[in-house]
Amino acid sequence: MSSVIASTRFSVLDRSRTREGHDAPRALRDTVDLAREAEALGFHRFWVSEHHGVPGVAGSAPTVLAAAVAAATSTIRVGTGGVMLPNHRPLVVAEQFGVLASLFPGRIDMGLGRSVGFTDGVRRALGHGKEDAEDFPGRLTELLGWIDGTQQAHPGVHAHPAEGLRVPAYVLAIGEGASVAAAAGLPLVIGDLCGREKVLRAVEVYRRDFRPSARAERPEVIVAGTVAVAGTEEAARRLLVPEAWAMAYSRTHGDFPPLAPAERIEALAMSAKERTLYERGLDGHIHGTEDQVAGQLERAIEETGADEVLVTTSTYDRAGLVESLRRLARIARPPTGPTGGPHGGALTSDSRRAGHGPLRAPGAALGTDT
């Protein structure tokens, strides 16, 4: 096994994508089931996302879904990827995570993004527009102040039960959010791996401008993206087909649909624009056999200096998704390891982590357009 892969943590984010022939409640139950699989395979953390008014996504209440995931598991870290802070009052977010951290101590992560609604109609319904995203740094400072007990904007008001609890915070970003994470001294979650040059520029800015804080003494980078592993390269590529078509359809019809089976999509008569967007959506993702993916992962980790890989794969074939995670676990986990235990320790390696709390508790690709 590559020493680069062996020293990197691996985690999973599931967006609770709906599928043709299956309703939204099924998608949420599938997310909980996938979390159990991820825990059994030894992945470090399992995160859920926030999307509002999107037909193809059932995950609209991430802290509620995170509670269900945490209750259904026992060791894996659980969190949000992320809560979109412009949609919420920071006090309420602090209180919600305080409840989660109280019920599941040592297992809860608070991933935060600055995205607002998918459409003008959704933004109006939420009561928040694009201008609210511009105040993300201020909202982030207020939220952390509620948890740390340092906020001064509302004297005499306290966030119970959050105040004084240790709730690790992460900033989700695709571009300029890297500067926000650096200024706040927080770990950065950056995507997507198929847009490598943009990711590398953001990571460079983050590392250059990072200010050590009480929450993180050193820069920490989690890179997010699609990873599909199968017995053959073609089988792995077919796992990418449903999401690639959903993205192409949304950009040509303005509606993000449920995932369709790969075989139905491959039989479609697409317009020239749809075909171009669809083919583009298949390009650049890490996919293939175990040997192929191991090589691609090693290059991605070396290029980005990532401490962790957050796998965000969505596909119609849930059995194929689970099998992909099992194969990824074989890539990331050595047969034996000095840490002992049932999983060998590779998926939760702490060899490159410092200053951000315990690694193992007694628990677009990202849900953001930052």
Side-chain angles (χ1 to χ4, degrees), residues 55 85 293 310:
L85 202 47
V293 167
L310 180 65

Side-chain angles (χ1 to χ4, degrees), residues 28-29 41 65 107 114 122 138 165 185 203-204 247 261 280 297 299 310:
L28 296 173
R29 293 192 295 270
L41 290 168
L65 185 53
R107 294 181 59 204
R114 66 183 285 264
V122 171
L165 296 181
V203 169
E204 181 181 8
M247 293 298 295
R280 189 179 300 163
L297 280 172
R299 286 192 295 275
L310 180 65

Side-chain angles (χ1 to χ4, degrees), residues 270-344:
M270 301 181 191
S271 69
K273 184 176 183 180
E274 287 173 339
R275 176 65 63 180
T276 298
L277 291 170
Y278 167 68
E279 294 291 349
R280 189 179 300 163
L282 293 171
D283 288 341
H285 299 292
I286 292 176
H287 74 285
T289 64
E290 291 176 37
D291 286 343
Q292 290 172 322
V293 167
Q296 294 169 46
L297 280 172
E298 184 170 4
R299 286 192 295 275
I301 294 166
E302 287 179 336
E303 288 175 2
T304 61
D307 300 279
E308 183 171 338
V309 174
L310 180 65
V311 177
T312 63
T313 311
S314 294
T315 191
Y316 180 89
D317 181 2
R318 296 295 288 194
L321 177 59
V322 170
E323 178 61 20
S324 177
L325 291 180
R326 288 173 180 161
R327 289 176 179 273
L328 177 58
R330 287 203 291 266
I331 295 170
R333 184 180 66 223
T336 60
T339 60
H343 304 305

Side-chain angles (χ1 to χ4, degrees), residues 195-282:
R196 195 71 53 82
E197 289 187 7
K198 187 175 181 180
V199 167
L200 292 177
R201 288 195 299 270
V203 169
E204 181 181 8
V205 168
Y206 169 70
R207 294 189 187 281
R208 182 194 69 202
D209 297 343
F210 181 83
R211 300 176 185 174
S213 70
R215 288 177 170 269
E217 298 173 356
R218 55 176 283 275
E220 179 180 347
V221 176
I222 301 175
V223 294
T226 295
V227 179
V229 198
T232 66
E233 184 177 1
E234 178 58 27
R237 185 181 183 277
R238 294 189 87 234
L239 291 175
L240 308 176
V241 165
E243 187 72 11
W245 170 245
M247 293 298 295
Y249 187 91
S250 71
R251 290 171 182 169
T252 51
H253 298 266
D255 185 29
F256 198 66
L259 297 173
E263 56 270 20
R264 188 177 79 75
I265 295 167
E266 291 169 337
L268 289 174
M270 301 181 191
S271 69
K273 184 176 183 180
E274 287 173 339
R275 176 65 63 180
T276 298
L277 291 170
Y278 167 68
E279 294 291 349
R280 189 179 300 163
L282 293 171

Side-chain angles (χ1 to χ4, degrees), residues 45-302:
R45 68 180 99 240
F46 188 94
W47 282 5
V48 296
S49 63
E50 175 182 342
H51 297 273
H52 297 282
V54 181
V57 182
S60 57
T63 54
V64 176
L65 185 53
V69 168
T73 55
S74 59
T75 59
I76 195 168
R77 296 194 64 85
V78 177
T80 56
V83 165
M84 298 299 116
L85 202 47
N87 294 335
H88 311 279
R89 294 298 305 170
L91 170 61
V92 175
V93 175
E95 291 171 337
Q96 290 174 345
F97 278 95
V99 171
L100 284 169
S102 298
L103 294 173
F104 308 100
R107 294 181 59 204
I108 299 301
D109 300 324
M110 184 171 64
L112 305 162
R114 66 183 285 264
S115 177
V116 289
F118 185 62
T119 65
D120 289 338
V122 171
R123 288 190 286 272
R124 286 193 297 270
L126 289 170
H128 298 283
K130 294 181 178 179
E131 66 280 0
D132 292 292
E134 301 306 314
D135 190 35
F136 178 65
R139 288 171 179 259
L140 176 62
T141 298
E142 181 183 342
L143 169 59
L144 298 179
W146 285 117
I147 295 173
D148 297 340
T150 60
Q151 73 82 26
Q152 301 295 323
H154 305 277
V157 182
H158 300 271
H160 300 303
E163 188 174 304
L165 296 181
R166 183 170 178 81
V167 185
Y170 302 78
V171 173
L172 279 63
I174 293 178
E176 65 190 52
S179 296
V180 176
L186 294 176
L188 173 69
V189 185
I190 183 79
D192 190 339
L193 280 171
C194 64
R196 195 71 53 82
E197 289 187 7
K198 187 175 181 180
V199 167
L200 292 177
R201 288 195 299 270
V203 169
E204 181 181 8
V205 168
Y206 169 70
R207 294 189 187 281
R208 182 194 69 202
D209 297 343
F210 181 83
R211 300 176 185 174
S213 70
R215 288 177 170 269
E217 298 173 356
R218 55 176 283 275
E220 179 180 347
V221 176
I222 301 175
V223 294
T226 295
V227 179
V229 198
T232 66
E233 184 177 1
E234 178 58 27
R237 185 181 183 277
R238 294 189 87 234
L239 291 175
L240 308 176
V241 165
E243 187 72 11
W245 170 245
M247 293 298 295
Y249 187 91
S250 71
R251 290 171 182 169
T252 51
H253 298 266
D255 185 29
F256 198 66
L259 297 173
E263 56 270 20
R264 188 177 79 75
I265 295 167
E266 291 169 337
L268 289 174
M270 301 181 191
S271 69
K273 184 176 183 180
E274 287 173 339
R275 176 65 63 180
T276 298
L277 291 170
Y278 167 68
E279 294 291 349
R280 189 179 300 163
L282 293 171
D283 288 341
H285 299 292
I286 292 176
H287 74 285
T289 64
E290 291 176 37
D291 286 343
Q292 290 172 322
V293 167
Q296 294 169 46
L297 280 172
E298 184 170 4
R299 286 192 295 275
I301 294 166
E302 287 179 336

